Amino acid sequence: MKYRTIGTDPQRRREVSVLSLGAMLFGTATDEETSFAILDRYVEAGGTFVDTSDNYAFWVNGLQGGESESLLGRWRRSRGIGDEVVIATKLGARPLAPGTSYVDNPEGLSAKVIRQSAAESRERLGVEKLDVLYAHIDDMSVPQEETVEAFGALVAEGSVGLLGVSNQWVWRVERARALAAASGLAGYELLQYHHTYLRRRTDRPSELDPDGSPGGADGALLSYVRHHPGLTLVAYSPLLAGGYVRADKPLGSELDHPGTPARLAALREVAQATGATVNQVVLAWLIGGEVPVVPLVGASSVAQLDESLAAVDLELTADQRARLDAAG
């Protein structure tokens, strides 16, 4: 396994594995026995960065969220896991009632919700301190100053380590970070967005983000991370839920443009040259790029996880990376 540092404050920064494991469906679509086996294998391989949210998985069987965090809490206790594994969670997008969603009925980012939801996440995870806490979606109904101050207060009191943000416009991220800095508070240092090798169209919403939220890492976001040392981009859905390799998982309409076939061809060429799978080349391209990226992968079996883990040791040559970068 390889590692990189997240965060800038010497007292709060952490070293994490360059490959993060998503626990979105653990405890629901992925049963507990399988989830534990995947987590055990990840840790055995040196993985130390697990991702969840307080709203996972509200869309399964009319649930309301919290199932993934609760499973991770049971796994931690049963395995004696301490702070050697960094667990990141999120708040703001948990539905307020069963049968609703983050689109029409989210908990939001008020100071009251931030404090209450963070406490509930700590309880479900069985920890006194959340390693990483993200604002999952934006909340335009609450003054941004209130949100920034509430997150900063949790860090100041020691109940949260590092802060992150997901699915917000870059100008909102920058404004939140400026507000935090002006008040002497901790600000967002991890940015979690959809990012992969294929380039998305910008003239239509992604099928991953049907509500039109800025869930994708576009050029503006990548430039922002590149020019702000200390920020880390965590890339969710880097393998397009199987879209690179499975005929039954067609690519979304946001990838329907002339550049996609050229980039797919380059991927296949490099995969053949390296003896790796297409998915492994995608992950290696992300891990070794100029912008610091931590791919966040899901797995429904140990075999799927093993394929992703092998990508950590895949070293692309300068020529192979140039070929991938220039395609499309």
Side-chain angles (χ1 to χ4, degrees), residues 266-276 281 314 320:
L267 271 180
R268 296 183 185 113
E269 288 175 15
V270 173
Q272 184 175 15
T274 59
V281 173
L314 176 59
Q320 289 167 346

Side-chain angles (χ1 to χ4, degrees), residues 7-157:
T8 56
D9 187 307
Q11 302 301 316
R12 296 184 293 109
R13 64 191 179 196
R14 301 292 300 273
E15 185 179 75
V16 298
S17 52
V18 297
L19 190 73
S20 179
L21 175 63
M24 183 170 68
L25 297 178
F26 288 0
T28 51
T30 305
D31 63 61
E32 185 152 322
E33 181 180 1
T34 303
S35 299
F36 277 29
I38 294 168
L39 287 160
D40 290 345
R41 172 64 185 130
Y42 178 67
V43 171
E44 177 188 31
T48 63
F49 197 15
V50 178
D51 184 90
T52 185
S53 173
D54 72 346
N55 76 337
Y56 293 162
F58 74 85
W59 56 92
V60 177
N61 299 324
L63 299 172
Q64 197 174 347
E67 293 77 25
S68 172
E69 289 181 328
S70 295
L71 179 136
L72 289 173
R74 294 192 295 274
W75 171 74
R76 288 184 69 259
R77 288 188 292 272
S78 70
R79 304 305 195 253
I81 298 292
D83 62 5
E84 68 272 18
V85 174
V86 173
I87 297 180
T89 193
K90 315 175 195 72
L91 58 78
R94 191 181 193 202
L96 291 174
T100 61
S101 79
Y102 68 90
V103 176
D104 57 10
N105 195 26
E107 61 184 352
L109 296 176
S110 68
K112 179 180 179 181
V113 164
I114 289 170
R115 179 161 292 276
Q116 179 177 336
S117 293
E120 292 172 353
S121 289
R122 290 197 302 271
E123 182 176 356
R124 284 189 290 267
L125 289 166
V127 297
E128 295 182 0
K129 178 179 181 179
L130 297 174
D131 299 317
V132 178
L133 180 63
Y134 290 95
H136 201 166
I137 58 173
D138 208 346
D139 183 357
M140 296 285 194
S141 71
V142 174
Q144 203 167 19
E145 292 83 354
E146 178 180 339
T147 298
V148 167
E149 290 172 5
F151 275 119
L154 293 179
V155 175
E157 70 188 30

